[in-house]
CSV table of all heavy atoms in Angstrom, one decimal:
chain,number,residue,atom,x,y,z
A,70,ASN,N,81.6,14.3,70.5
A,70,ASN,CA,82.1,15.6,70.4
A,70,ASN,C,81.1,16.5,69.6
A,70,ASN,O,81.5,17.3,68.8
A,70,ASN,CB,83.5,15.7,69.7
A,70,ASN,CG,84.6,15.2,70.7
A,70,ASN,OD1,84.4,15.2,71.9
A,70,ASN,ND2,85.8,14.9,70.2
A,94,ILE,N,74.4,8.7,73.7
A,94,ILE,CA,73.5,7.8,72.9
A,94,ILE,C,72.1,8.2,73.3
A,94,ILE,O,71.7,8.4,74.4
A,94,ILE,CB,73.7,6.3,73.3
A,94,ILE,CG1,75.0,5.8,72.8
A,94,ILE,CG2,72.5,5.5,72.7
A,94,ILE,CD1,75.3,4.4,73.0
A,225,ASP,N,73.6,27.7,110.5
A,225,ASP,CA,73.2,27.0,109.3
A,225,ASP,C,74.4,27.1,108.3
A,225,ASP,O,74.7,26.1,107.5
A,225,ASP,CB,72.0,27.7,108.7
A,225,ASP,CG,70.8,27.4,109.6
A,225,ASP,OD1,70.8,26.5,110.4
A,225,ASP,OD2,69.8,28.2,109.4
A,297,GLN,N,69.3,1.4,136.1
A,297,GLN,CA,68.7,0.1,135.9
A,297,GLN,C,68.9,-0.8,137.2
A,297,GLN,O,69.9,-0.7,137.8
A,297,GLN,CB,69.2,-0.6,134.7
A,297,GLN,CG,68.9,0.0,133.4
A,297,GLN,CD,69.2,-0.8,132.2
A,297,GLN,OE1,69.4,-2.0,132.3
A,297,GLN,NE2,69.3,-0.2,131.0
Side-chain angles (χ1 to χ4, degrees):
N70 285 345
I94 292 181
D225 292 341
Q297 291 190 20

